[in-house]
Short mmCIF file of all heavy atoms in Angstrom, two decimals:
data_model
loop_
_atom_site.label_atom_id
_atom_site.label_comp_id
_atom_site.label_asym_id
_atom_site.label_seq_id
_atom_site.Cartn_x
_atom_site.Cartn_y
_atom_site.Cartn_z
N VAL R 213 -24.30 -21.09 -13.80
CA VAL R 213 -25.15 -20.19 -14.60
C VAL R 213 -26.01 -21.00 -15.57
O VAL R 213 -27.21 -20.73 -15.73
CB VAL R 213 -24.27 -19.17 -15.37
CG1 VAL R 213 -25.11 -18.35 -16.34
CG2 VAL R 213 -23.54 -18.25 -14.39
N LYS R 214 -25.39 -22.01 -16.19
CA LYS R 214 -26.11 -22.90 -17.12
C LYS R 214 -27.33 -23.52 -16.44
O LYS R 214 -28.35 -23.75 -17.08
CB LYS R 214 -25.14 -24.00 -17.57
CG LYS R 214 -25.27 -24.41 -19.02
CD LYS R 214 -24.34 -25.58 -19.35
CE LYS R 214 -22.91 -25.14 -19.62
NZ LYS R 214 -22.00 -26.30 -19.80
N ARG R 215 -27.22 -23.77 -15.15
CA ARG R 215 -28.31 -24.42 -14.42
C ARG R 215 -29.25 -23.40 -13.76
O ARG R 215 -30.08 -23.77 -12.93
CB ARG R 215 -27.72 -25.37 -13.38
CG ARG R 215 -27.16 -26.65 -14.02
CD ARG R 215 -26.24 -27.43 -13.12
NE ARG R 215 -25.77 -28.65 -13.82
CZ ARG R 215 -24.80 -28.65 -14.72
NH1 ARG R 215 -24.18 -27.53 -15.05
NH2 ARG R 215 -24.44 -29.77 -15.31
N GLY R 216 -29.09 -22.13 -14.14
CA GLY R 216 -30.06 -21.14 -13.69
C GLY R 216 -29.67 -20.31 -12.48
O GLY R 216 -30.42 -19.43 -12.06
N ALA R 217 -28.47 -20.54 -11.95
CA ALA R 217 -28.05 -19.76 -10.78
C ALA R 217 -27.46 -18.41 -11.20
O ALA R 217 -26.93 -18.28 -12.31
CB ALA R 217 -27.02 -20.54 -9.98
N VAL R 218 -27.57 -17.42 -10.33
CA VAL R 218 -26.79 -16.20 -10.49
C VAL R 218 -25.58 -16.34 -9.58
O VAL R 218 -25.72 -16.67 -8.39
CB VAL R 218 -27.60 -14.94 -10.14
CG1 VAL R 218 -26.71 -13.72 -10.12
CG2 VAL R 218 -28.73 -14.76 -11.14
N VAL R 219 -24.40 -16.10 -10.15
CA VAL R 219 -23.15 -16.28 -9.42
C VAL R 219 -22.61 -14.94 -8.94
O VAL R 219 -22.54 -13.98 -9.73
CB VAL R 219 -22.10 -16.98 -10.32
CG1 VAL R 219 -20.71 -16.90 -9.70
CG2 VAL R 219 -22.50 -18.42 -10.61
N VAL R 220 -22.24 -14.85 -7.67
CA VAL R 220 -21.44 -13.73 -7.20
C VAL R 220 -20.07 -14.31 -6.89
O VAL R 220 -19.93 -15.16 -5.99
CB VAL R 220 -22.05 -13.05 -5.95
CG1 VAL R 220 -21.23 -11.82 -5.58
CG2 VAL R 220 -23.51 -12.69 -6.19
N ASP R 221 -19.07 -13.86 -7.65
CA ASP R 221 -17.75 -14.49 -7.60
C ASP R 221 -16.72 -13.60 -6.92
O ASP R 221 -16.51 -12.45 -7.31
CB ASP R 221 -17.28 -14.81 -9.03
CG ASP R 221 -15.92 -15.49 -9.03
OD1 ASP R 221 -15.67 -16.25 -8.08
OD2 ASP R 221 -15.13 -15.26 -9.96
N ASN R 222 -16.06 -14.15 -5.91
CA ASN R 222 -15.07 -13.42 -5.13
C ASN R 222 -13.67 -13.43 -5.71
O ASN R 222 -12.78 -12.78 -5.17
CB ASN R 222 -15.01 -14.03 -3.73
CG ASN R 222 -15.59 -13.10 -2.70
OD1 ASN R 222 -15.10 -11.98 -2.57
ND2 ASN R 222 -16.61 -13.52 -2.00
N THR R 223 -13.45 -14.17 -6.77
CA THR R 223 -12.09 -14.28 -7.31
C THR R 223 -11.86 -13.25 -8.43
O THR R 223 -12.78 -12.53 -8.82
CB THR R 223 -11.82 -15.68 -7.88
OG1 THR R 223 -12.46 -15.80 -9.17
CG2 THR R 223 -12.36 -16.76 -6.96
N SER R 224 -10.65 -13.23 -8.95
CA SER R 224 -10.35 -12.28 -10.02
C SER R 224 -10.67 -12.85 -11.40
O SER R 224 -10.43 -12.20 -12.42
CB SER R 224 -8.87 -11.87 -9.96
OG SER R 224 -8.05 -13.00 -10.21
N ALA R 225 -11.27 -14.07 -11.46
CA ALA R 225 -11.47 -14.79 -12.73
C ALA R 225 -12.22 -13.98 -13.78
O ALA R 225 -11.88 -13.99 -14.96
CB ALA R 225 -12.18 -16.12 -12.47
N PHE R 226 -13.27 -13.28 -13.36
CA PHE R 226 -14.15 -12.62 -14.35
C PHE R 226 -14.20 -11.10 -14.20
O PHE R 226 -14.93 -10.43 -14.92
CB PHE R 226 -15.57 -13.17 -14.22
CG PHE R 226 -15.67 -14.67 -14.33
CD1 PHE R 226 -15.87 -15.46 -13.20
CD2 PHE R 226 -15.54 -15.29 -15.57
CE1 PHE R 226 -15.95 -16.84 -13.30
CE2 PHE R 226 -15.63 -16.68 -15.68
CZ PHE R 226 -15.83 -17.45 -14.54
N ARG R 227 -13.44 -10.56 -13.25
CA ARG R 227 -13.63 -9.15 -12.88
C ARG R 227 -13.50 -8.17 -14.03
O ARG R 227 -14.23 -7.18 -14.09
CB ARG R 227 -12.62 -8.75 -11.78
CG ARG R 227 -12.99 -9.28 -10.42
CD ARG R 227 -12.01 -8.79 -9.37
NE ARG R 227 -12.16 -9.54 -8.14
CZ ARG R 227 -11.16 -9.85 -7.32
NH1 ARG R 227 -9.92 -9.46 -7.60
NH2 ARG R 227 -11.39 -10.53 -6.22
N MET R 228 -12.55 -8.42 -14.91
CA MET R 228 -12.32 -7.46 -15.98
C MET R 228 -13.08 -7.82 -17.27
O MET R 228 -12.96 -7.12 -18.28
CB MET R 228 -10.81 -7.28 -16.24
CG MET R 228 -10.04 -6.68 -15.05
SD MET R 228 -10.79 -5.18 -14.30
CE MET R 228 -10.60 -4.02 -15.65
N ASP R 229 -13.89 -8.89 -17.24
CA ASP R 229 -14.72 -9.24 -18.41
C ASP R 229 -15.75 -8.14 -18.65
O ASP R 229 -16.43 -7.70 -17.71
CB ASP R 229 -15.48 -10.56 -18.15
CG ASP R 229 -14.58 -11.76 -18.34
OD1 ASP R 229 -13.35 -11.58 -18.39
OD2 ASP R 229 -15.12 -12.89 -18.40
N GLU R 230 -15.88 -7.76 -19.90
CA GLU R 230 -16.79 -6.66 -20.25
C GLU R 230 -18.23 -6.92 -19.84
O GLU R 230 -18.97 -6.01 -19.46
CB GLU R 230 -16.76 -6.46 -21.77
CG GLU R 230 -16.20 -5.14 -22.20
CD GLU R 230 -16.17 -5.03 -23.70
OE1 GLU R 230 -17.25 -5.09 -24.32
OE2 GLU R 230 -15.06 -4.90 -24.26
N ASN R 231 -18.63 -8.20 -19.94
CA ASN R 231 -20.03 -8.52 -19.66
C ASN R 231 -20.29 -8.88 -18.20
O ASN R 231 -21.37 -9.33 -17.86
CB ASN R 231 -20.47 -9.69 -20.54
CG ASN R 231 -20.28 -9.37 -22.00
OD1 ASN R 231 -20.49 -8.23 -22.42
ND2 ASN R 231 -19.84 -10.35 -22.79
N VAL R 232 -19.29 -8.69 -17.37
CA VAL R 232 -19.45 -9.03 -15.95
C VAL R 232 -19.42 -7.74 -15.12
O VAL R 232 -18.40 -7.06 -15.08
CB VAL R 232 -18.32 -9.99 -15.50
CG1 VAL R 232 -18.36 -10.19 -13.99
CG2 VAL R 232 -18.45 -11.32 -16.22
N PRO R 233 -20.54 -7.41 -14.46
CA PRO R 233 -20.51 -6.24 -13.59
C PRO R 233 -19.57 -6.48 -12.41
O PRO R 233 -19.53 -7.59 -11.87
CB PRO R 233 -21.96 -6.12 -13.09
CG PRO R 233 -22.78 -7.00 -13.98
CD PRO R 233 -21.86 -8.07 -14.49
N LEU R 234 -18.81 -5.46 -12.07
CA LEU R 234 -17.87 -5.51 -10.93
C LEU R 234 -18.44 -4.49 -9.94
O LEU R 234 -18.40 -3.29 -10.20
CB LEU R 234 -16.48 -5.12 -11.43
CG LEU R 234 -15.33 -5.15 -10.42
CD1 LEU R 234 -15.03 -6.57 -9.97
CD2 LEU R 234 -14.07 -4.52 -11.03
N VAL R 235 -18.94 -4.98 -8.80
CA VAL R 235 -19.85 -4.11 -8.04
C VAL R 235 -19.48 -3.94 -6.57
O VAL R 235 -19.19 -4.91 -5.87
CB VAL R 235 -21.29 -4.65 -8.16
CG1 VAL R 235 -22.25 -3.84 -7.28
CG2 VAL R 235 -21.77 -4.62 -9.61
N VAL R 236 -19.50 -2.71 -6.14
CA VAL R 236 -19.53 -2.35 -4.72
C VAL R 236 -20.86 -1.61 -4.55
O VAL R 236 -21.01 -0.50 -5.09
CB VAL R 236 -18.35 -1.43 -4.35
CG1 VAL R 236 -18.43 -1.02 -2.88
CG2 VAL R 236 -17.03 -2.12 -4.65
N PRO R 237 -21.84 -2.20 -3.89
CA PRO R 237 -23.18 -1.63 -3.93
C PRO R 237 -23.26 -0.13 -3.61
O PRO R 237 -24.01 0.61 -4.26
CB PRO R 237 -23.94 -2.47 -2.90
CG PRO R 237 -23.29 -3.82 -3.02
CD PRO R 237 -21.83 -3.51 -3.22
N GLU R 238 -22.46 0.36 -2.67
CA GLU R 238 -22.50 1.79 -2.35
C GLU R 238 -22.00 2.65 -3.52
O GLU R 238 -22.22 3.86 -3.55
CB GLU R 238 -21.62 2.10 -1.13
CG GLU R 238 -22.11 1.50 0.17
CD GLU R 238 -21.57 0.09 0.40
OE1 GLU R 238 -21.09 -0.52 -0.58
OE2 GLU R 238 -21.64 -0.38 1.54
N VAL R 239 -21.29 2.03 -4.46
CA VAL R 239 -20.67 2.81 -5.53
C VAL R 239 -21.42 2.66 -6.86
O VAL R 239 -21.74 3.66 -7.51
CB VAL R 239 -19.18 2.38 -5.72
CG1 VAL R 239 -18.52 3.18 -6.83
CG2 VAL R 239 -18.42 2.53 -4.40
N ASN R 240 -21.70 1.42 -7.27
CA ASN R 240 -22.26 1.20 -8.61
C ASN R 240 -23.29 0.07 -8.63
O ASN R 240 -23.23 -0.82 -9.47
CB ASN R 240 -21.14 0.91 -9.62
CG ASN R 240 -20.36 -0.36 -9.28
OD1 ASN R 240 -20.29 -0.75 -8.13
ND2 ASN R 240 -19.81 -1.00 -10.30
N LYS R 241 -24.23 0.15 -7.69
CA LYS R 241 -25.26 -0.88 -7.57
C LYS R 241 -26.01 -1.09 -8.89
O LYS R 241 -26.33 -2.23 -9.26
CB LYS R 241 -26.25 -0.47 -6.47
CG LYS R 241 -27.24 -1.55 -6.08
CD LYS R 241 -28.35 -0.99 -5.18
CE LYS R 241 -27.82 -0.66 -3.80
NZ LYS R 241 -28.90 -0.19 -2.90
N ALA R 242 -26.26 -0.02 -9.61
CA ALA R 242 -27.07 -0.11 -10.83
C ALA R 242 -26.43 -1.01 -11.89
O ALA R 242 -27.13 -1.57 -12.73
CB ALA R 242 -27.30 1.29 -11.41
N ASP R 243 -25.11 -1.18 -11.84
CA ASP R 243 -24.45 -2.07 -12.80
C ASP R 243 -24.94 -3.51 -12.70
O ASP R 243 -24.79 -4.29 -13.64
CB ASP R 243 -22.92 -2.05 -12.59
CG ASP R 243 -22.31 -0.74 -13.06
OD1 ASP R 243 -23.03 0.09 -13.63
OD2 ASP R 243 -21.09 -0.53 -12.84
N LEU R 244 -25.50 -3.86 -11.54
CA LEU R 244 -25.99 -5.23 -11.35
C LEU R 244 -27.04 -5.60 -12.40
O LEU R 244 -27.19 -6.75 -12.77
CB LEU R 244 -26.60 -5.39 -9.95
CG LEU R 244 -25.62 -5.40 -8.77
CD1 LEU R 244 -26.39 -5.40 -7.45
CD2 LEU R 244 -24.69 -6.60 -8.85
N GLN R 245 -27.80 -4.58 -12.85
CA GLN R 245 -28.87 -4.85 -13.82
C GLN R 245 -28.36 -5.46 -15.11
O GLN R 245 -29.10 -6.10 -15.83
CB GLN R 245 -29.59 -3.54 -14.16
CG GLN R 245 -30.28 -2.90 -12.98
CD GLN R 245 -30.75 -1.50 -13.33
OE1 GLN R 245 -31.82 -1.33 -13.90
NE2 GLN R 245 -29.94 -0.51 -12.99
N ASN R 246 -27.11 -5.25 -15.44
CA ASN R 246 -26.57 -5.71 -16.72
C ASN R 246 -25.96 -7.10 -16.64
O ASN R 246 -25.30 -7.54 -17.57
CB ASN R 246 -25.51 -4.73 -17.21
CG ASN R 246 -26.02 -3.32 -17.20
OD1 ASN R 246 -27.17 -3.06 -17.54
ND2 ASN R 246 -25.17 -2.38 -16.78
N HIS R 247 -26.14 -7.80 -15.53
CA HIS R 247 -25.45 -9.08 -15.41
C HIS R 247 -26.02 -10.12 -16.38
O HIS R 247 -27.19 -10.06 -16.78
CB HIS R 247 -25.49 -9.59 -13.97
CG HIS R 247 -26.79 -10.25 -13.58
ND1 HIS R 247 -27.07 -11.56 -13.84
CD2 HIS R 247 -27.86 -9.77 -12.91
CE1 HIS R 247 -28.26 -11.88 -13.36
NE2 HIS R 247 -28.77 -10.81 -12.80
N GLU R 248 -25.15 -11.05 -16.75
CA GLU R 248 -25.56 -12.16 -17.62
C GLU R 248 -25.38 -13.48 -16.88
O GLU R 248 -25.09 -14.51 -17.47
CB GLU R 248 -24.73 -12.13 -18.91
CG GLU R 248 -24.93 -10.84 -19.70
CD GLU R 248 -24.15 -10.80 -21.01
OE1 GLU R 248 -23.41 -11.77 -21.30
OE2 GLU R 248 -24.30 -9.81 -21.75
N GLY R 249 -25.49 -13.41 -15.57
CA GLY R 249 -25.39 -14.62 -14.76
C GLY R 249 -24.25 -14.57 -13.76
O GLY R 249 -24.30 -15.16 -12.70
N ILE R 250 -23.18 -13.83 -14.13
CA ILE R 250 -22.03 -13.73 -13.22
C ILE R 250 -21.83 -12.28 -12.82
O ILE R 250 -21.84 -11.38 -13.68
CB ILE R 250 -20.74 -14.27 -13.87
CG1 ILE R 250 -20.90 -15.77 -14.22
CG2 ILE R 250 -19.55 -14.08 -12.95
CD1 ILE R 250 -19.70 -16.38 -14.93
N ILE R 251 -21.67 -12.07 -11.53
CA ILE R 251 -21.30 -10.75 -11.00
C ILE R 251 -20.00 -10.92 -10.23
O ILE R 251 -19.86 -11.89 -9.47
CB ILE R 251 -22.40 -10.21 -10.06
CG1 ILE R 251 -23.67 -9.92 -10.87
CG2 ILE R 251 -21.93 -8.98 -9.31
CD1 ILE R 251 -24.92 -10.31 -10.17
N ALA R 252 -19.07 -10.02 -10.44
CA ALA R 252 -17.78 -10.15 -9.75
C ALA R 252 -17.71 -9.23 -8.54
O ALA R 252 -18.15 -8.08 -8.58
CB ALA R 252 -16.63 -9.84 -10.71
N ASN R 253 -17.19 -9.79 -7.46
CA ASN R 253 -16.89 -9.03 -6.26
C ASN R 253 -15.46 -8.52 -6.41
O ASN R 253 -14.56 -9.30 -6.70
CB ASN R 253 -16.98 -9.99 -5.06
CG ASN R 253 -17.13 -9.28 -3.75
OD1 ASN R 253 -18.09 -8.57 -3.54
ND2 ASN R 253 -16.17 -9.48 -2.86
N PRO R 254 -15.21 -7.23 -6.24
CA PRO R 254 -13.85 -6.72 -6.48
C PRO R 254 -12.85 -7.22 -5.44
O PRO R 254 -13.21 -7.81 -4.43
CB PRO R 254 -14.03 -5.20 -6.37
CG PRO R 254 -15.49 -4.95 -6.55
CD PRO R 254 -16.17 -6.16 -5.97
N ASN R 255 -11.59 -6.94 -5.73
CA ASN R 255 -10.50 -7.23 -4.81
C ASN R 255 -10.70 -6.46 -3.50
O ASN R 255 -11.15 -5.32 -3.50
CB ASN R 255 -9.20 -6.77 -5.50
CG ASN R 255 -7.98 -7.17 -4.73
OD1 ASN R 255 -7.88 -8.28 -4.25
ND2 ASN R 255 -7.05 -6.23 -4.59
N CYS R 256 -10.32 -7.09 -2.40
CA CYS R 256 -10.55 -6.50 -1.06
C CYS R 256 -9.98 -5.09 -0.94
O CYS R 256 -10.67 -4.18 -0.46
CB CYS R 256 -9.95 -7.41 0.00
SG CYS R 256 -8.30 -8.04 -0.40
N SER R 257 -8.75 -4.90 -1.37
CA SER R 257 -8.14 -3.58 -1.18
C SER R 257 -8.80 -2.52 -2.07
O SER R 257 -8.78 -1.34 -1.73
CB SER R 257 -6.63 -3.64 -1.46
OG SER R 257 -6.36 -4.29 -2.67
N THR R 258 -9.38 -2.97 -3.19
CA THR R 258 -10.09 -2.02 -4.06
C THR R 258 -11.41 -1.59 -3.44
O THR R 258 -11.77 -0.40 -3.46
CB THR R 258 -10.39 -2.67 -5.43
OG1 THR R 258 -9.22 -3.29 -5.93
CG2 THR R 258 -10.91 -1.64 -6.42
N ILE R 259 -12.16 -2.57 -2.90
CA ILE R 259 -13.51 -2.29 -2.40
C ILE R 259 -13.50 -1.14 -1.38
O ILE R 259 -14.25 -0.18 -1.49
CB ILE R 259 -14.12 -3.55 -1.74
CG1 ILE R 259 -14.40 -4.62 -2.81
CG2 ILE R 259 -15.40 -3.20 -0.98
CD1 ILE R 259 -14.96 -5.93 -2.26
N GLN R 260 -12.63 -1.27 -0.37
CA GLN R 260 -12.67 -0.26 0.69
C GLN R 260 -12.24 1.11 0.17
O GLN R 260 -12.76 2.14 0.60
CB GLN R 260 -11.82 -0.70 1.89
CG GLN R 260 -10.32 -0.77 1.64
CD GLN R 260 -9.58 -1.30 2.86
OE1 GLN R 260 -9.72 -2.45 3.26
NE2 GLN R 260 -8.78 -0.44 3.49
N MET R 261 -11.32 1.13 -0.79
CA MET R 261 -10.87 2.42 -1.31
C MET R 261 -11.97 3.10 -2.12
O MET R 261 -12.25 4.29 -1.91
CB MET R 261 -9.61 2.26 -2.16
CG MET R 261 -9.05 3.60 -2.61
SD MET R 261 -7.44 3.49 -3.39
CE MET R 261 -7.86 2.89 -5.01
N VAL R 262 -12.63 2.36 -3.01
CA VAL R 262 -13.67 3.02 -3.83
C VAL R 262 -14.87 3.42 -2.98
O VAL R 262 -15.52 4.43 -3.26
CB VAL R 262 -14.11 2.15 -5.04
CG1 VAL R 262 -12.95 1.96 -6.01
CG2 VAL R 262 -14.71 0.83 -4.62
N ALA R 263 -15.15 2.64 -1.91
CA ALA R 263 -16.25 3.03 -1.02
C ALA R 263 -15.96 4.38 -0.37
O ALA R 263 -16.85 5.23 -0.23
CB ALA R 263 -16.48 1.96 0.04
N ALA R 264 -14.70 4.60 0.00
CA ALA R 264 -14.33 5.88 0.62
C ALA R 264 -14.26 7.01 -0.41
O ALA R 264 -14.58 8.17 -0.10
CB ALA R 264 -12.98 5.74 1.34
N LEU R 265 -13.85 6.68 -1.63
CA LEU R 265 -13.64 7.74 -2.63
C LEU R 265 -14.92 8.15 -3.36
O LEU R 265 -15.02 9.27 -3.87
CB LEU R 265 -12.59 7.29 -3.66
CG LEU R 265 -11.18 7.06 -3.11
CD1 LEU R 265 -10.20 6.78 -4.24
CD2 LEU R 265 -10.70 8.27 -2.29
N LYS R 266 -15.90 7.24 -3.41
CA LYS R 266 -17.13 7.52 -4.16
C LYS R 266 -17.80 8.85 -3.76
O LYS R 266 -18.09 9.69 -4.62
CB LYS R 266 -18.08 6.32 -3.99
CG LYS R 266 -19.54 6.59 -4.27
CD LYS R 266 -19.84 6.74 -5.75
CE LYS R 266 -21.36 6.84 -5.95
NZ LYS R 266 -21.69 7.20 -7.33
N PRO R 267 -18.05 9.07 -2.45
CA PRO R 267 -18.70 10.34 -2.10
C PRO R 267 -17.86 11.55 -2.45
O PRO R 267 -18.40 12.62 -2.78
CB PRO R 267 -18.91 10.23 -0.58
CG PRO R 267 -17.93 9.18 -0.13
CD PRO R 267 -17.81 8.22 -1.26
N LEU R 268 -16.54 11.40 -2.42
CA LEU R 268 -15.65 12.52 -2.74
C LEU R 268 -15.66 12.78 -4.25
O LEU R 268 -15.67 13.94 -4.69
CB LEU R 268 -14.23 12.24 -2.24
CG LEU R 268 -14.15 11.86 -0.75
CD1 LEU R 268 -12.71 11.58 -0.35
CD2 LEU R 268 -14.75 12.97 0.12
N LYS R 269 -15.68 11.71 -5.03
CA LYS R 269 -15.77 11.86 -6.49
C LYS R 269 -17.08 12.55 -6.87
O LYS R 269 -17.10 13.46 -7.71
CB LYS R 269 -15.67 10.49 -7.15
CG LYS R 269 -15.77 10.49 -8.68
CD LYS R 269 -15.43 9.12 -9.25
CE LYS R 269 -15.48 9.11 -10.77
NZ LYS R 269 -16.86 9.04 -11.32
N ASP R 270 -18.17 12.12 -6.25
CA ASP R 270 -19.47 12.73 -6.57
C ASP R 270 -19.49 14.22 -6.24
O ASP R 270 -20.04 15.01 -6.99
CB ASP R 270 -20.59 12.03 -5.78
CG ASP R 270 -20.89 10.65 -6.33
OD1 ASP R 270 -20.35 10.30 -7.40
OD2 ASP R 270 -21.66 9.91 -5.68
N ALA R 271 -18.89 14.58 -5.13
CA ALA R 271 -18.98 15.98 -4.68
C ALA R 271 -17.95 16.89 -5.33
O ALA R 271 -18.24 18.05 -5.63
CB ALA R 271 -18.83 16.03 -3.15
N PHE R 272 -16.74 16.37 -5.54
CA PHE R 272 -15.64 17.27 -5.94
C PHE R 272 -14.96 16.86 -7.24
O PHE R 272 -14.06 17.55 -7.71
CB PHE R 272 -14.59 17.33 -4.82
CG PHE R 272 -15.17 17.52 -3.46
CD1 PHE R 272 -15.02 16.55 -2.48
CD2 PHE R 272 -15.91 18.67 -3.15
CE1 PHE R 272 -15.57 16.72 -1.22
CE2 PHE R 272 -16.46 18.84 -1.88
CZ PHE R 272 -16.30 17.86 -0.92
N GLY R 273 -15.36 15.72 -7.82
CA GLY R 273 -14.62 15.19 -8.97
C GLY R 273 -13.32 14.60 -8.50
O GLY R 273 -12.79 15.00 -7.46
N LEU R 274 -12.79 13.63 -9.25
CA LEU R 274 -11.57 12.94 -8.83
C LEU R 274 -10.65 12.84 -10.03
O LEU R 274 -11.04 12.35 -11.08
CB LEU R 274 -11.95 11.54 -8.30
CG LEU R 274 -10.93 10.80 -7.45
CD1 LEU R 274 -10.56 11.58 -6.21
CD2 LEU R 274 -11.50 9.43 -7.06
N GLU R 275 -9.40 13.33 -9.88
CA GLU R 275 -8.45 13.32 -10.99
C GLU R 275 -7.40 12.25 -10.84
O GLU R 275 -6.88 11.72 -11.81
CB GLU R 275 -7.74 14.67 -11.07
CG GLU R 275 -8.57 15.74 -11.72
CD GLU R 275 -7.78 17.02 -11.95
OE1 GLU R 275 -6.60 17.09 -11.54
OE2 GLU R 275 -8.36 17.95 -12.53
N ARG R 276 -7.06 11.96 -9.58
CA ARG R 276 -5.86 11.18 -9.36
C ARG R 276 -5.91 10.47 -8.02
O ARG R 276 -6.40 11.03 -7.04
CB ARG R 276 -4.69 12.18 -9.36
CG ARG R 276 -3.39 11.57 -9.13
CD ARG R 276 -2.25 12.35 -9.71
NE ARG R 276 -1.29 11.37 -10.13
CZ ARG R 276 0.02 11.56 -10.11
NH1 ARG R 276 0.50 12.72 -9.77
NH2 ARG R 276 0.83 10.61 -10.47
N VAL R 277 -5.39 9.24 -8.00
CA VAL R 277 -5.31 8.45 -6.77
C VAL R 277 -3.94 7.79 -6.71
O VAL R 277 -3.51 7.16 -7.68
CB VAL R 277 -6.39 7.34 -6.75
CG1 VAL R 277 -6.28 6.51 -5.47
CG2 VAL R 277 -7.79 7.91 -6.91
N ILE R 278 -3.24 7.96 -5.59
CA ILE R 278 -2.00 7.21 -5.33
C ILE R 278 -2.18 6.53 -3.99
O ILE R 278 -2.40 7.20 -2.98
CB ILE R 278 -0.76 8.13 -5.28
CG1 ILE R 278 -0.58 8.86 -6.62
CG2 ILE R 278 0.49 7.32 -4.95
CD1 ILE R 278 0.55 9.88 -6.61
N VAL R 279 -2.11 5.19 -3.99
CA VAL R 279 -2.37 4.47 -2.74
C VAL R 279 -1.19 3.56 -2.38
O VAL R 279 -0.59 2.93 -3.25
CB VAL R 279 -3.68 3.65 -2.84
CG1 VAL R 279 -3.65 2.68 -4.01
CG2 VAL R 279 -3.96 2.89 -1.53
N SER R 280 -0.86 3.56 -1.08
CA SER R 280 0.08 2.59 -0.53
C SER R 280 -0.69 1.78 0.50
O SER R 280 -1.30 2.36 1.40
CB SER R 280 1.27 3.29 0.14
OG SER R 280 2.02 4.01 -0.82
#
Side-chain angles (χ1 to χ4, degrees):
Chain R
V213 172
K214 218 184 279 174
R215 286 164 179 79
V218 172
V219 168
V220 185
D221 181 33
N222 250 302
T223 77
S224 64
F226 305 105
R227 284 184 194 146
M228 296 312 293
D229 282 14
E230 245 179 61
N231 303 323
V232 172
L234 182 67
V235 175
V236 178
E238 294 88 343
V239 180
N240 62 333
K241 190 191 289 183
D243 288 354
L244 289 174
Q245 297 170 83
N246 309 321
H247 80 84
E248 299 182 358
I250 299 177
I251 293 140
N253 198 61
N255 187 45
C256 44
S257 49
T258 312
I259 292 178
Q260 67 184 67
M261 185 171 78
V262 296
L265 296 186
K266 159 74 173 170
L268 307 179
K269 179 170 182 282
D270 287 352
F272 314 117
L274 197 59
E275 281 187 357
R276 179 154 214 213
V277 179
I278 299 175
V279 57
S280 296

